[in-house]
Amino acid sequence: MSNVIRAGLNFISVLLLARSLASSGYGELMFLIGSFVSIKSLMDLGTANAFYTFISQGKNRSYHYFVYFSWLAIQFVLLGLFIIVICPPKLLDIIWLGHSRYLILLAFIASFLQQQGWQTINQIGESERKTIWNQIFGVIIALVNVLGILLLRIFNNLTIPNILIFYILEYVIFCVVTFFVLGADQYLFPLKKDNVLVRTIVWEYFRYCYPLIVTTLVGFLYSYTDTWMLQYFGGSAEQGLFQIANQFATIVLLATSSVLNIFWKEIAVAYEKKDKIKVQQIYFKAMRGLFMFGAVISGFLIPWTNEIILLFLGEKYINVAPILAIMFFYPIHQSMGQLAGAFFLSTNQTRIYSVTSIATMLISIPITYLIQSPVDGYPVPGLGLGAFGLSIKIVILNIVSVNVCVYIISRLQRWQYDYQHQLYAIVLTSILGYASYLGARSVGGIFFISSLKITVLLQGVIAAIIYFSGILFIIYYIPALVGFSHIEIHKITQRVKMLIKNVFLGMK
């Protein structure tokens, strides 16, 4: 529920920024922040994954904090010096396409605090099984974010530098406060100095991360070239259109973001105990349940993309609609991809994760160029498809790469390769989604209402009733789609019936 609230608040933030900055301004902001998200993976070298895996296993927490926090400080200082002092102006213009050094520095600090800083705090909370506190602070941050953007807008100060400064102040305060609330300060310094143990832990990080070093280098090229080529060939407006569609689509990943760290933690513990049955149960329930959740939400939203854009962003953003329709397919398999990656990393199978990731990303980079480069481009002409082409590439490549990872996991664990539920889930939810959309439009058309918002809202409610009633029917008769058996579904329905009965008896 906290993720639903947070997603709603983040959605409001996106709308406020998109409406205020226009597609070009919003594209510039997302380009600056997105560039450092890519650079973060280059600097991190897989150590964040190692840190979370090690502290989840509960060994030598104080020393892991000391080693990892020292590494974060080194990253911050080195990249800060590169931006301020080392990087020559010409190289700065090539990397960040003409943005000022001051603006780049602000984007770096804001992104570092949001990605490395807040991610580390979340990992600490999850490793201690303090999920509730993590979620509470996540909601508060999202609320403060909305209020801050609103205040900047009210006082006509909603500019890119002011937004970045606000992000910096926001995350500095919340990272420090949450760290102490979680009680992590008790592990901040080792009780006694043990240089041998520190060296041992550093060596553990190296063994965990060295297969990921090439992956992170290629990962940086992969994510940065997507953002950079779209900005270079398409400009800020195309960047803005794609980022808006991407922000809308990530709402579908709500359940995955709720479950991912818990999944990682529990798989790591069960694998450490060699409890293969529990590992299999957690894996299949999470995989199927989250895939179906993504398919259900996307299946409902895809037919409504035009109405969503008109309702929330206005007619000037109608070009986002086809991009958004394609991007709504992305989170369906992305949930599986995140869980597959977490499975590899939580079970220390970093070499396999590295090889599969590198192969996917190396294929992606030249495809991105061909999609983004104009028809008369030099040295190699492309298709010039901009944001629309990038969205198609991301979705198709994601489906292929995720299924490769799932197949490898199945072979290594000697499980049956599970792919049929993907076809059933997507086909059933898509057919039901369009049927409910057409049905709602037909019923809603009976009533003459001049207001677009009220019309869409009325039709949306009718469609939701038809659609989700159909989904419940499908799950009841095909429970395997969500990772349950018929017996488990029967038990759940009996509990729901008993709950409803008790509510009515209480009312009487």
Side-chain angles (χ1 to χ4, degrees):
M1 287 305 299
S2 66
N3 272 276
V4 171
I5 295 167
R6 189 165 73 240
L9 292 169
N10 289 338
F11 181 69
I12 294 169
S13 298
V14 170
L15 294 180
L16 289 171
L17 290 172
R19 283 181 173 273
S20 303
L21 299 176
S23 60
S24 58
Y26 185 73
E28 283 188 30
L29 176 64
M30 290 297 101
F31 169 71
L32 285 166
I33 293 176
S35 66
F36 284 105
V37 172
S38 305
I39 292 171
K40 175 249 183 185
S41 64
L42 176 65
M43 298 291 291
D44 178 72
L45 298 175
T47 52
N49 297 325
F51 174 69
Y52 184 51
T53 300
F54 293 148
I55 63 173
S56 292
Q57 294 169 352
K59 300 175 184 177
N60 301 311
R61 284 181 177 272
S62 295
Y63 288 94
H64 280 293
Y65 279 31
F66 173 75
V67 170
Y68 185 64
F69 287 174
S70 299
W71 173 237
L72 286 180
I74 291 169
Q75 291 179 55
F76 184 83
V77 170
L78 288 178
L79 194 50
L81 287 173
F82 176 78
I83 295 168
I84 298 170
V85 180
I86 301 171
C87 187
K90 287 185 178 179
L91 181 59
L92 206 72
D93 286 342
I94 293 171
I95 298 173
W96 284 284
L97 299 174
H99 289 94
S100 69
R101 199 180 293 265
Y102 169 69
L103 201 60
I104 295 165
L105 181 63
L106 289 179
F108 157 62
I109 298 171
S111 180
F112 187 91
L113 290 168
Q114 186 181 35
Q115 297 295 319
Q116 282 98 318
W118 186 246
Q119 179 194 37
T120 302
I121 298 298
N122 267 284
Q123 289 176 332
I124 290 169
E126 293 293 352
S127 71
E128 295 280 354
R129 290 194 171 99
K130 294 182 179 179
T131 306
I132 293 174
W133 278 111
N134 272 2
Q135 299 299 332
I136 288 171
F137 278 105
V139 170
I140 295 172
I141 284 179
L143 179 60
V144 170
N145 206 30
V146 171
L147 294 175
I149 293 170
L150 271 174
L151 286 173
L152 289 172
R153 188 178 182 185
I154 290 169
F155 291 103
N156 294 319
N157 285 317
L158 194 62
T159 61
I160 293 176
N162 288 342
I163 292 167
L164 293 173
I165 290 169
F166 167 69
Y167 286 162
I168 292 168
L169 295 174
E170 178 185 25
Y171 278 98
V172 164
I173 293 169
F174 276 102
C175 283
V176 172
V177 170
T178 309
F179 183 83
F180 284 97
V181 170
L182 292 173
D185 54 301
Q186 63 180 309
Y187 303 114
L188 194 55
F189 299 104
L191 296 175
K192 60 178 181 178
K193 292 184 178 180
D194 188 338
N195 293 331
V196 175
L197 182 57
V198 170
R199 286 196 295 269
T200 302
I201 289 174
V202 170
W203 178 244
E204 284 181 1
Y205 274 85
F206 177 76
R207 283 190 302 173
Y208 185 100
C209 295
Y210 87 87
L212 299 174
I213 292 174
V214 178
T215 308
T216 55
L217 293 172
V218 178
F220 162 71
L221 291 173
Y222 163 72
S223 58
Y224 189 75
T225 50
D226 271 10
T227 306
W228 189 88
M229 285 186 195
L230 183 58
Q231 185 79 11
Y232 181 78
F233 291 118
S236 297
E238 284 289 314
Q239 186 79 245
L241 293 176
F242 175 78
Q243 294 296 343
I244 290 167
N246 190 42
Q247 292 292 329
F248 273 78
T250 52
I251 295 172
V252 184
L253 287 170
L254 277 174
T256 306
S257 59
S258 304
V259 170
L260 187 62
N261 283 336
I262 300 170
F263 173 84
W264 190 318
K265 162 74 176 176
E266 299 305 329
I267 288 287
V269 172
Y271 190 82
E272 183 76 9
K273 294 178 179 178
K274 295 181 171 55
D275 190 345
K276 294 182 179 180
I277 295 174
K278 189 173 183 180
V279 168
Q280 186 177 9
Q281 288 175 342
I282 294 170
Y283 175 84
F284 276 102
K285 281 191 181 294
M287 277 286 185
R288 288 193 171 194
L290 290 176
F291 186 88
M292 186 61 181
F293 179 86
V296 167
I297 303 300
S298 294
F300 178 72
L301 293 176
I302 288 168
W304 295 89
T305 49
N306 278 328
E307 287 83 357
I308 290 170
I309 296 301
L310 290 172
L311 190 61
F312 291 107
L313 294 173
E315 197 170 345
K316 64 180 179 179
Y317 282 100
I318 197 62
N319 291 337
V320 179
I323 304 168
L324 179 58
I326 295 167
M327 287 301 294
F328 270 139
F329 282 101
Y330 175 68
I332 301 175
H333 279 85
Q334 180 64 5
S335 61
M336 289 181 67
Q338 290 186 10
L339 290 176
F343 185 90
F344 283 130
L345 295 170
S346 63
T347 55
N348 293 355
Q349 298 181 72
T350 54
R351 186 183 295 275
I352 300 170
Y353 173 78
S354 178
V355 171
T356 54
S357 300
I358 289 170
T360 302
M361 292 183 290
L362 287 177
I363 292 169
S364 173
I365 293 171
I367 294 174
T368 300
Y369 175 83
L370 291 173
I371 287 171
Q372 296 301 320
S373 178
V375 178
D376 57 349
Y378 179 83
V380 179
L383 299 174
L385 294 177
F388 181 75
L390 184 60
S391 62
I392 293 175
K393 184 219 75 169
I394 286 175
V395 170
I396 294 175
L397 199 61
N398 185 52
I399 293 171
V400 174
S401 62
V402 165
N403 275 281
V404 169
C405 289
V406 171
Y407 177 77
I408 291 171
I409 291 172
S410 301
R411 289 295 300 270
L412 291 174
Q413 300 298 321
R414 296 181 180 178
W415 299 333
Q416 185 179 358
Y417 172 45
D418 195 22
Y419 68 91
Q420 294 95 331
H421 80 283
Q422 298 177 40
L423 298 174
Y424 289 135
I426 292 174
V427 171
L428 289 172
T429 54
S430 297
I431 292 172
L432 189 57
Y434 273 98
S436 64
Y437 172 75
L438 295 174
R441 290 288 297 262
S442 300
V443 175
I446 298 172
F447 306 97
F448 177 75
I449 304 172
S450 58
S451 172
L452 173 65
K453 292 182 179 179
I454 297 175
T455 302
V456 172
L457 182 62
L458 175 63
Q459 292 174 346
V461 170
I462 295 169
I465 294 170
I466 299 170
Y467 182 78
F468 289 103
S469 298
I471 291 297
L472 290 175
F473 180 83
I474 291 170
I475 291 173
Y476 185 80
Y477 284 99
I478 318 176
L481 287 174
V482 290
F484 285 92
S485 65
H486 284 283
I487 296 172
E488 289 172 315
I489 289 292
H490 180 70
K491 287 180 179 179
I492 292 170
T493 53
Q494 290 301 315
R495 289 175 184 174
V496 171
K497 287 177 182 178
M498 185 62 69
L499 178 63
I500 294 171
K501 183 180 178 180
N502 290 335
V503 169
F504 277 109
L505 287 173
M507 290 173 67
K508 289 180 179 180

